[in-house]
């Protein structure tokens, strides 16, 4: 079969949900909410562009389940129905053209930066590595009632997303945020039922899945994005990740998206450059091959896909069912249509490096630079693929200082 034909094939999930082709947009945090974390019309504009662009499954940037715990200023927080009308407009635009639109739900845990969080929470009171001291305050350990409250919050957000017209949800279980912190033996050193053995560390995510399912019913897709590994000494390993995938599969998860890394080790942006990885284009295909032998759940591998041939080979090899794409879709929102029509065969992206070590080590510009492109699409402006990362950095530092200040004022009131 020709690459375009392979990519154009629909995928039917076990619950009957049909994804019209094999292109999946992976979550990209938009930071297009208001300073008090409400939904804005920009989101409908942005998601309308992706829906028109031909992607079969579009996963939103992370939406926070608790407005007291943000990943960054201007995240959307979804705790109640106050924004239902705006959410409905977002869902309507994003589901046009037969697009599946799933909302990614997240709690950042200790990865909540100083400008929005004086006192982050985490499974245990273990700070991030010392070099992050200026960016993240040390966390306090969650109590058991607080853990139970967060599980209920995930379920409430999922129920409201469904009510608003989103066609599925995704638990953000990757990249070092709270779910990922619970899974990690380094970050989770609890001695109660939420820590210690792997089944105990996985209890949080399994309870979230159970609660979301109870809130949304069997036909509503619930997926997870999880790490193949944390790539950190004493952290969540590949073998543990596979065991958790088996637990989630047994508990009825509808789709598993595979990524990897954390702020401390940002492997999800492709920083390793391993020869075996580069040969196959995408970063986590070796892990996907192994997990494929252990679970029947459909897989989406994200990170590194750039060419129609690389995407088609990954599908053909059976390593993945969906091709997860993030950064290229921030520059070319109609990439699937253009690849399928044969107008282009690839969309390459450069590493966004400033020359400032701490910033480059955290791969910070990878998000800042692309988030600006998302804002341009949302405003109906053309993207700027050649903009220098330093311009983005200067803009980011000035706007984030203002946003951080405003965000703290809003939260103090
Ligand atoms: C601007 C930006 C924001 C991101 N926000 C999220 C997010 O909210 N949730 C998430 O799971 N991953 C997030 N990611 C990571 C991407 O989903 C993806 O895993 C990563 O960029 C690798 O895929 P790519 O090589 O196709 O870009 C973000 C990436 C970028 C560039």
């Amino acid at each position: 079969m020709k690459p375009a034909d392979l990519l154009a094939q629909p995928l039917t999930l076990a619950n009957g949900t049909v994804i019209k082709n094999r292109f999946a947009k992976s979550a990209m945090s938009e930071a297009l909410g208001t300073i008090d974390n409400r939904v804005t019309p920009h989101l409908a504009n942005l998601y309308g562009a992706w829906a028109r662009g031909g992607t079969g499954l579009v996963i939103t940037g992370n939406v926070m389940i608790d407005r007291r715990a943000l990943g960054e200023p201007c995240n959307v927080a979804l705790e109640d129905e106050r924004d239902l009308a705006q959410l409905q407009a977002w869902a309507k635009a994003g589901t046009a053209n037969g697009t599946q639109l799933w909302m990614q739900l997240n709690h950042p845990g200790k990865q909540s930066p100083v400008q929005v969080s004086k006192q982050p929470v985490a499974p245990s009171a273990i700070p991030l590595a010392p070099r992050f001291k200026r960016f993240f305050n040390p966390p306090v350990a969650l109590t058991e009632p607080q853990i139970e409250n967060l599980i209920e919050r995930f379920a409430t957000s999922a129920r409201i997303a469904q009510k608003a017209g989103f066609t599925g949800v995704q638990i953000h279980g990757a990249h070092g945020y709270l779910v990922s912190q619970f899974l990690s033996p380094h970050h989770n050193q609890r001695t109660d039922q939420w820590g210690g053995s792997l089944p105990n560390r996985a209890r949080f995510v399994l309870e979230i899945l159970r609660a979301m399912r109870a809130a949304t019913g069997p036909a509503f897709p619930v997926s997870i994005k999880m790490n193949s590994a944390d790539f950190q000494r004493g952290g969540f390993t590949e073998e543990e990740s596979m065991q958790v995938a088996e637990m989630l599969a047994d508990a009825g998860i509808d789709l598993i998206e595979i990524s990897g890394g954390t702020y401390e080790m940002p492997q999800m942006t492709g920083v390793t450059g391993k020869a075996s990885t580069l040969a196959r284009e995408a970063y986590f295909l070796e892990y996907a091959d192994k997990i494929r032998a252990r679970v029947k759940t459909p897989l989406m591998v994200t990170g590194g896909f750039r060419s129609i041939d690389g995407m088609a080979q990954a599908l053909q090899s059976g390593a993945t069912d969906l091709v997860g794409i993030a950064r290229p879709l921030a520059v070319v929102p109609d990439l699937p249509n253009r690849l399928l029509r044969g107008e282009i065969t690839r969309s390459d992206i450069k590493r966004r490096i400033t020359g400032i070590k701490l910033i480059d080590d955290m791969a910070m510009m990878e998000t800042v630079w692309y988030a600006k492109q998302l804002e341009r699409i949302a405003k109906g402006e053309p993207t700027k693929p050649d903009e220098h990362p330093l311009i983005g950095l200067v803009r980011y530092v000035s706007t984030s200082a203002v946003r951080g200040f405003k965000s703290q004022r809003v939260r103090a009131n």
Side-chain angles (χ1 to χ4, degrees):
M1 217 186 274
K2 282 200 263 166
D5 295 337
L6 270 170
L7 281 149
Q9 281 187 325
L11 176 73
T12 305
L13 303 182
N15 68 8
T17 302
V18 179
I19 299 169
K20 69 178 178 179
N21 60 36
R22 302 306 175 107
F23 293 102
K25 179 210 151 273
S26 192
M28 280 186 278
S29 192
E30 314 86 6
L32 287 174
T34 63
I35 203 70
D36 53 353
N37 313 108
R38 311 281 301 262
V39 179
T40 63
H42 285 322
L43 288 158
N45 296 345
L46 175 60
Y47 283 78
W50 278 319
R52 287 191 299 279
T55 304
L57 168 61
V58 171
I59 299 174
T60 70
N62 58 178
V63 168
M64 301 297 137
I65 56 140
D66 184 343
R67 63 184 64 247
R68 296 166 304 180
L70 304 177
E72 62 202 310
C74 300
N75 283 143
V76 170
L78 180 49
E79 297 179 319
D80 51 41
E81 297 188 11
R82 72 180 83 170
D83 284 338
L84 194 60
Q86 291 283 19
L87 285 164
Q88 282 166 333
W90 179 3
K92 188 168 176 222
T95 53
N97 197 19
T99 311
Q100 283 288 321
L101 177 67
W102 297 1
M103 182 185 281
Q104 187 185 61
L105 295 171
N106 192 23
H107 185 299
K110 72 181 79 174
Q111 288 188 164
S112 183
V114 284
Q115 77 260 40
V116 287
S117 202
K118 285 205 182 82
Q119 183 60 93
V121 292
S124 303
I126 297 166
L128 289 167
R131 64 184 189 282
F132 294 100
K133 229 164 66 190
R134 260 185 295 155
F135 300 110
F136 301 95
N137 286 320
V140 286
L142 287 159
T143 63
E144 286 208 73
Q146 283 174 328
I147 293 174
E148 273 147 24
N149 174 264
L150 293 181
I151 292 166
E152 276 318 302
R153 283 172 175 272
F154 270 97
T156 302
S157 307
R159 180 187 59 73
I160 301 168
Q162 181 183 36
K163 183 168 178 182
F166 289 79
T167 53
V169 283
Q170 181 178 69
I171 303 165
H172 195 347
H175 303 171
Y177 295 107
L178 187 64
V179 170
S180 160
Q181 287 160 31
F182 265 94
L183 291 171
S184 157
H186 167 75
H187 292 292
N188 179 354
Q189 298 187 11
R190 299 180 73 93
T191 51
D192 59 9
Q193 59 165 336
W194 306 97
S197 65
L198 185 60
N200 275 1
R201 280 181 273 130
R203 192 180 305 282
F204 185 57
V205 67
L206 288 166
E207 284 298 305
I208 291 172
L209 171 59
R210 182 200 52 73
M212 279 181 166
R213 184 71 78 207
T216 58
F220 190 69
V222 179
S223 67
I224 184 159
K225 183 168 186 174
M226 62 180 286
N227 274 359
S228 56
D230 290 352
F231 302 97
Q232 185 172 41
R233 193 170 303 136
F236 186 56
T237 63
E238 190 175 283
E239 175 52 33
E240 287 188 328
S241 167
M242 288 195 231
Q243 288 181 34
V244 171
E246 285 171 337
M247 294 176 202
L248 289 161
D250 289 345
I253 198 95
D254 293 294
L255 177 90
I256 299 176
E257 180 182 353
I258 298 165
S259 184
T262 64
Y263 279 12
E264 292 171 309
M265 293 296 286
Q267 277 1 47
M268 60 287 207
T269 60
V271 286
T272 60
K274 249 173 76 185
S276 55
T277 301
L278 296 178
R280 287 182 77 181
E281 195 166 292
Y283 316 140
F284 304 110
L285 285 172
E286 283 176 58
Y287 170 86
D289 286 336
K290 293 185 210 159
I291 201 172
R292 168 60 91 212
R294 293 174 62 159
V295 299
K296 292 202 172 58
T297 311
L299 300 179
M300 163 175 167
V301 174
T302 296
F305 282 114
R306 304 295 175 252
S307 73
I308 191 159
D309 287 339
M311 297 172 194
Q313 274 160 23
L315 292 173
Q316 184 103 57
S317 75
T320 192
D321 300 290
L322 291 173
V323 170
I325 307 171
R327 286 166 290 180
L329 280 165
V331 184
V332 187
D334 59 347
L335 182 64
N337 281 347
R338 295 172 74 175
L339 290 173
L340 290 178
R341 287 194 211 118
E343 288 169 19
I344 51 174
T345 57
R346 54 187 307 125
S347 174
D348 286 301
I349 57 153
K350 290 184 251 170
R351 259 200 88 192
R352 308 293 158 183
I353 295 176
T354 59
I356 304 166
K357 191 172 174 345
L358 187 59
I359 289 173
D360 293 338
D361 283 355
M362 270 166 62
M364 200 172 129
M365 288 318 292
E366 294 299 323
T367 46
V368 169
W369 190 91
Y370 287 96
K372 183 65 196 172
Q373 306 295 334
L374 301 185
E375 188 185 320
R376 292 202 172 99
I377 301 170
K379 291 182 174 164
E381 297 167 7
T383 58
K384 285 194 182 168
D386 296 320
E387 186 167 68
H388 195 282
L390 277 176
I391 298 179
L393 180 64
V394 171
R395 190 187 313 106
Y396 173 73
V397 171
S398 50
T399 52
S400 82
V402 175
R403 282 175 166 188
F405 174 70
K406 284 190 186 160
S407 184
Q408 278 180 5
R409 276 193 31 195
V410 164
R411 292 131 78 68
N413 293 332

